[in-house]
Amino acid sequence: MNKVMMGLGAALLSSTMIVSAASAETLRWARASDALTLDPHSQNQGVTHNFAHHIYETLVDRDSEGTLQPRLATEWSLKEDDPTVWVFKLREGVTFHDGAEFTAEDVVFSLDRARSEKSNMRQLHVEVAEVRAVDDYTVEVQMTGPAPLYPNNLTNTFIMDKDWSEANNVVEVQDYAAGEDNYAVRNTNGTGPYILQSREVDVRSVLTLNENHWAEETPQVTEIVYLPIADNATRIAALLSGEVDLVQDVPVQDIDRLQNTAGIKIETGPENRVIYFGYRFGDEPLASSNITDRNPFNDPRVREAMELAVDRDAIAQVVMRGQAIPTGVANPPFVAGWTEELNAYPAVDLDRARELMAEAGYENGFTVTLDTPNNRYVNDEAISQAVVGMLGRIGINVTLASRPVAQHSPLVTSNQTDFYLLGWGVPTFDSAYVFNDLVHTKEGSYGAYNGGLYSNPELDEKIRSLGTETDLDARAETVAEIWETVKAERVLLPIHNQVLAYAMRDNITLPVHPENQPLMIDATFSN
């Protein structure tokens, strides 16, 4: 057994010893990767948000049907005499984990922090001009213009304690891409249902119930032992041996076996997430290619050839074992702006793809490196391996560079990759979230995950208009126009929408969450 496996085994054994001495309400929860950071405004990333939702809270949240629900805000509305101001009434009697009272000044501080320069959440707040406290339990958010959908943007913007942040010198957000550290990276003080007791990054974190949480109902899960286990076989073996209770990232090849295993049950459901490939735009040659005088990806014929070479159906059936829904648009069906027409994708046509490559001047092909995560999405590395083979059939010789998501994500956000795999969930259920981050020119609060540096000023103007457009029919038309351009120019190469599977002991009930952000307060146990 190698040192990594020994380390995992020790972590699992340690968690098992804790559980044997604890109550039945301890839940040992395994995932393929860990939260990137605990600084709640540093990274706009699903695993990180999922973990943080147990410790910190947002003003509004979504239920499993995607409907906005009160959390730290009990109600929200546009100001009667000014449609450019959102008014949030805050929940009273809420305290942070250290006992400090939650008030409007914490909301003002947190929203300002989330929209600051280093925050990876700032694109969600680009239409915010000012946040102000009216009284201890009322906050007004002044927008740059009417912004009827702004509350949709708040489901992953966590509220911090202003005084705690100042006392611990974490007023500024961690600059994750630069490798920056701060006290909030491993220490927390939220209002959420669980309190962080210990944290070993990439090994094990323990959360215990917040006895002073404001919710009327007490969760059945009183302790969470969170175990990042990157290796698929080790993660499933831990479930089968009884060392963990819940596996959130179930490899597709293990679903049938687990469904037929006594004492184990599988929950499946579609996720509000698309898996896609991005590529570098611009005239500058690719750093990883043998073509040194120009950028092959900048030629639309090459991008079309790539789409014709990639067999989405084969990936869905062979790589994903049917646990994926092929798509031709980087927008999940849950999201406003999705249509059947956009979702259509071309049949594989290698002859035409090779013709296009020749027309573009690459009849002998070219080389490039594909960067992929190996522990973030369902079968992410296997998807990339399949695409490597498919592109090889038209002369694009791809070298695969596989990394854990903690090392992969900064390559995309700092634009240090020529070709990459990424997944994109849409917590706002609105296309603007895709456009703001993936399509808009990288500038200011926009384009945080525009890893290929695509730029279209005309499209940028349309994207920015969505934030303050009050005529929803006109807005929908603009969304459709943007998607038409994005698809025609092949800004991204979408592959499929994920289908999720959770595996758990058969006495546990936890439905699949469309955002893949299940909360352990929702887990229940049967006798």
Side-chain angles (χ1 to χ4, degrees), residues 144-200:
T144 57
L149 300 180
Y150 177 65
N152 292 339
N153 294 9
L154 296 173
T155 57
N156 286 320
T157 298
F158 298 101
I159 305 304
M160 300 177 71
D161 180 354
K162 177 176 181 288
D163 292 338
W164 179 87
S165 300
E166 292 174 344
N168 291 290
N169 195 30
V170 292
V171 172
E172 285 198 6
V173 180
Q174 172 203 20
D175 188 341
Y176 184 88
E180 191 176 275
D181 198 3
N182 69 32
Y183 185 77
V185 169
R186 280 175 297 277
N187 298 275
T188 62
N189 184 35
T191 61
Y194 295 96
I195 299 171
L196 181 69
Q197 294 297 324
S198 64
R199 178 154 174 81
E200 299 172 70

Side-chain angles (χ1 to χ4, degrees), residues 123-259:
Q123 70 279 10
L124 292 161
H125 308 279
V126 290
E127 288 87 25
V128 175
E130 180 188 8
V131 187
R132 50 184 178 260
V134 177
D135 56 44
D136 281 351
Y137 297 104
T138 307
V139 170
E140 291 185 349
V141 182
Q142 174 69 61
M143 314 303 291
T144 57
L149 300 180
Y150 177 65
N152 292 339
N153 294 9
L154 296 173
T155 57
N156 286 320
T157 298
F158 298 101
I159 305 304
M160 300 177 71
D161 180 354
K162 177 176 181 288
D163 292 338
W164 179 87
S165 300
E166 292 174 344
N168 291 290
N169 195 30
V170 292
V171 172
E172 285 198 6
V173 180
Q174 172 203 20
D175 188 341
Y176 184 88
E180 191 176 275
D181 198 3
N182 69 32
Y183 185 77
V185 169
R186 280 175 297 277
N187 298 275
T188 62
N189 184 35
T191 61
Y194 295 96
I195 299 171
L196 181 69
Q197 294 297 324
S198 64
R199 178 154 174 81
E200 299 172 70
V201 176
D202 291 328
V203 178
R204 179 173 171 272
S205 297
V206 177
L207 306 175
T208 56
L209 187 66
N210 175 12
E211 301 286 354
N212 297 315
H213 191 246
W214 53 265
E216 293 181 3
E217 294 186 12
T218 301
Q220 288 192 27
V221 176
T222 57
E223 181 183 56
I224 299 169
V225 180
Y226 183 82
L227 298 160
I229 307 174
D231 183 74
N232 286 339
T234 304
R235 194 164 63 253
I236 297 305
L239 176 69
L240 293 172
S241 67
E243 292 173 310
V244 304
D245 304 305
L246 167 72
V247 169
Q248 190 172 340
D249 304 300
V250 178
V252 294
Q253 61 270 22
D254 291 314
I255 292 175
D256 287 344
R257 174 167 64 110
L258 292 172
Q259 285 176 327

Side-chain angles (χ1 to χ4, degrees), residues 4 8 13 38 81 94 136 160 169 175 185 204 210 239-240 243 279 309 319-320 333 337 375 381 390 472 500 519:
V4 173
L8 288 170
L13 178 61
L38 299 189
D81 58 349
V94 176
D136 281 351
M160 300 177 71
N169 195 30
D175 188 341
V185 169
R204 179 173 171 272
N210 175 12
L239 176 69
L240 293 172
E243 292 173 310
Y279 20 61
V319 179
M320 301 301 294
N375 65 346
E381 184 175 16
M390 292 169 182
L472 298 186
L500 299 171
L519 295 180

Side-chain angles (χ1 to χ4, degrees), residues 39-351:
D39 185 321
H41 305 134
S42 173
Q43 289 296 286
N44 186 14
Q45 192 252 6
V47 176
T48 303
H49 289 331
N50 193 185
F51 189 80
H53 270 291
H54 292 80
I55 301 168
Y56 288 100
E57 293 182 293
T58 53
L59 293 178
V60 300
D61 203 359
R62 288 191 188 274
D63 60 20
S64 59
E65 303 299 319
T67 304
L68 285 182
Q69 300 290 323
R71 202 164 181 187
L72 288 177
T74 57
E75 57 183 279
W76 52 95
S77 60
L78 288 169
K79 198 171 185 178
E80 287 187 9
D81 58 349
D82 190 346
T84 68
V85 176
W86 276 100
V87 181
F88 293 87
K89 296 292 185 180
L90 306 183
R91 192 177 298 278
E92 299 185 28
V94 176
T95 58
F96 288 93
H97 294 161
D98 66 356
E101 183 182 6
F102 160 71
T103 67
E105 71 169 9
D106 301 307
V107 175
V108 173
F109 167 78
S110 298
L111 294 186
D112 283 343
R113 189 178 190 270
R115 64 193 187 97
S116 64
E117 182 179 356
K118 292 181 181 178
S119 172
N120 206 212
M121 306 298 294
R122 66 186 185 277
Q123 70 279 10
L124 292 161
H125 308 279
V126 290
E127 288 87 25
V128 175
E130 180 188 8
V131 187
R132 50 184 178 260
V134 177
D135 56 44
D136 281 351
Y137 297 104
T138 307
V139 170
E140 291 185 349
V141 182
Q142 174 69 61
M143 314 303 291
T144 57
L149 300 180
Y150 177 65
N152 292 339
N153 294 9
L154 296 173
T155 57
N156 286 320
T157 298
F158 298 101
I159 305 304
M160 300 177 71
D161 180 354
K162 177 176 181 288
D163 292 338
W164 179 87
S165 300
E166 292 174 344
N168 291 290
N169 195 30
V170 292
V171 172
E172 285 198 6
V173 180
Q174 172 203 20
D175 188 341
Y176 184 88
E180 191 176 275
D181 198 3
N182 69 32
Y183 185 77
V185 169
R186 280 175 297 277
N187 298 275
T188 62
N189 184 35
T191 61
Y194 295 96
I195 299 171
L196 181 69
Q197 294 297 324
S198 64
R199 178 154 174 81
E200 299 172 70
V201 176
D202 291 328
V203 178
R204 179 173 171 272
S205 297
V206 177
L207 306 175
T208 56
L209 187 66
N210 175 12
E211 301 286 354
N212 297 315
H213 191 246
W214 53 265
E216 293 181 3
E217 294 186 12
T218 301
Q220 288 192 27
V221 176
T222 57
E223 181 183 56
I224 299 169
V225 180
Y226 183 82
L227 298 160
I229 307 174
D231 183 74
N232 286 339
T234 304
R235 194 164 63 253
I236 297 305
L239 176 69
L240 293 172
S241 67
E243 292 173 310
V244 304
D245 304 305
L246 167 72
V247 169
Q248 190 172 340
D249 304 300
V250 178
V252 294
Q253 61 270 22
D254 291 314
I255 292 175
D256 287 344
R257 174 167 64 110
L258 292 172
Q259 285 176 327
N260 293 298
T261 300
I264 302 294
K265 72 177 180 181
I266 296 282
E267 296 282 356
T268 61
E271 184 185 9
N272 184 17
R273 181 179 303 280
V274 65
I275 302 299
Y276 70 94
F277 289 91
Y279 20 61
R280 171 78 66 155
F281 286 85
D283 295 328
E284 185 177 342
L286 302 175
S288 65
S289 179
N290 63 338
I291 304 298
T292 58
D293 61 345
R294 61 197 185 282
N295 173 5
F297 291 151
N298 215 34
D299 192 311
R301 292 168 294 189
V302 171
R303 301 197 298 276
E304 183 179 356
M306 292 171 68
E307 181 163 42
L308 291 172
V310 171
D311 192 337
R312 295 169 170 90
D313 294 326
I315 291 172
Q317 293 305 314
V318 179
V319 179
M320 301 301 294
R321 310 286 181 97
Q323 297 296 306
I325 304 169
T327 184
V329 64
N331 197 34
F334 291 90
V335 178
W338 181 92
T339 65
E340 289 280 3
E341 183 179 1
L342 286 171
N343 195 56
Y345 53 91
V348 174
D349 189 339
L350 295 180
D351 289 338

Side-chain angles (χ1 to χ4, degrees), residues 299-310 347-366 388-397:
D299 192 311
R301 292 168 294 189
V302 171
R303 301 197 298 276
E304 183 179 356
M306 292 171 68
E307 181 163 42
L308 291 172
V310 171
V348 174
D349 189 339
L350 295 180
D351 289 338
R352 178 56 183 154
R354 294 183 185 112
E355 288 176 3
L356 287 164
M357 290 285 288
E359 290 172 14
Y362 302 104
E363 58 275 0
N364 296 319
F366 59 87
V388 168
M390 292 169 182
L391 294 179
R393 296 184 297 181
I394 62 170
I396 302 177
N397 297 310

